[in-house]
Amino acid sequence: MMQGELTVLGIETSCDETAVAVVRMEGGRPVVLGERVASQTDDHLLYGGVVPEIAARAHVERLDSLIGLTMADALAGWDDLDGVAATSGPGLIGGVMAGLSAAKAIALAHDLPLIAVNHLEGHALSPRLAAEVDFPYLLLLVSGGHCQFLRVEDVGRYRRLGSTIDDAVGEAFDKTAKMLRLAGQGGPAVERAAKDGDAAAVLLPRPLIDRPGLDMSFSGLKTAVRRAIGEGEPDARRTADICASFQEAVADILAMKSGQAMAEMKGLAARDTFVLAGGVAANRVLRSRLEAEAHNLGFEFFAPPLRWCTDNAAMIALAGAERLRRGLTDPLDTPARARWPLDEASAASAPVYGGGRKGAKA
Ligand code: KG4
Ligand code: ZN
């Protein structure tokens, strides 16, 4: 295993954020030297959702300058890098290809090892950007495309304990926002509107919470929200009540299932640790509810700062550096993958890329 210092460029393009970061590992701790995110929210506004082709083109247009600017922020030249990491899936395939191709070009031109990072591994390791979170830990990963409980044993070792059987939580937030015609990104818009609402005003279901097992379901909740909206447009008061009630239902489901997961995991590790990560972890109501649940059950609680909950490249550079440190690099013909379950992104993918000027160090 590589010790000491190591600097990695990270690229994230799996959805609608073009993100680049430079992360340096110093004595096993990450330092973010430079980090930029170019959001595409405005590019997709007209369409009520992310348009994959527009996203891919926007990544291509922005990547080169964003990489240059981030390297300048980090005061880093190509010679300072030990590797280049990019999200290789899962995600919108055109965007993933754009970021991965850029990383491959840099790896080839500057003779650096390539690290193909699973986007979910980035989220899974993201709390370690800001705090010392030791392995193993229980993780609830909640994003626009995923909602799952994982046991994070180590870098590259993830065991899925349960997941949504239909919609992801972020998706439920986004669809609720769309049905209510709220402006901006779904999750933050619902959270904002919910502030003025009464969480007990609208009766909504909590699917699957009384069932054993750690699977979750959100599509019934979405249907119930549609029914609560009914015909016509709800006024501001009613909109706030629906948002608050929806958020409360999500909080109940996640808290109940997290409690169950923690009960199953309790005492299995030297420290009982519960981590919340992914875009939906930016929601303050959910964060504080799950933190309280964790503390009640004697677990330490971690969630990344908001900017590292939603898609970012610091988490990809960190995952890249951690993998590089363990000799887990990838060949230059590594494919972009639309689907890629995290349990398959394991350390089992042996070190296959032996090349690279600094490859020997890795
Ligand atoms: O991790 P992420 O940025 O991208 C994916 O990997 O999917 O997560 C995006 C999701 C979106 O569904 C977005 O609406 C949701 O995270 N989200 C939130 C909040 N901020 C972002 N959901 C609830 N409350 C928020 N404050
Ligand atoms: Zn994400």
Side-chain angles (χ1 to χ4, degrees), residues 72 149 157 169 180 185 195 226 252 285 289 317 336 343:
F149 285 105
R157 287 178 53 209
V169 212
L180 288 166
Q185 204 198 15
K195 277 206 181 96
R226 183 175 298 126
D252 281 349
V285 172
R289 181 69 182 279
D343 346 28

Side-chain angles (χ1 to χ4, degrees), residues 122-140:
H123 281 303
L125 300 179
S126 62
R128 292 164 56 87
L129 281 166
E132 277 189 45
V133 186
D134 293 333
F135 301 115
Y137 50 85
L138 174 66
L139 167 72
L140 173 56

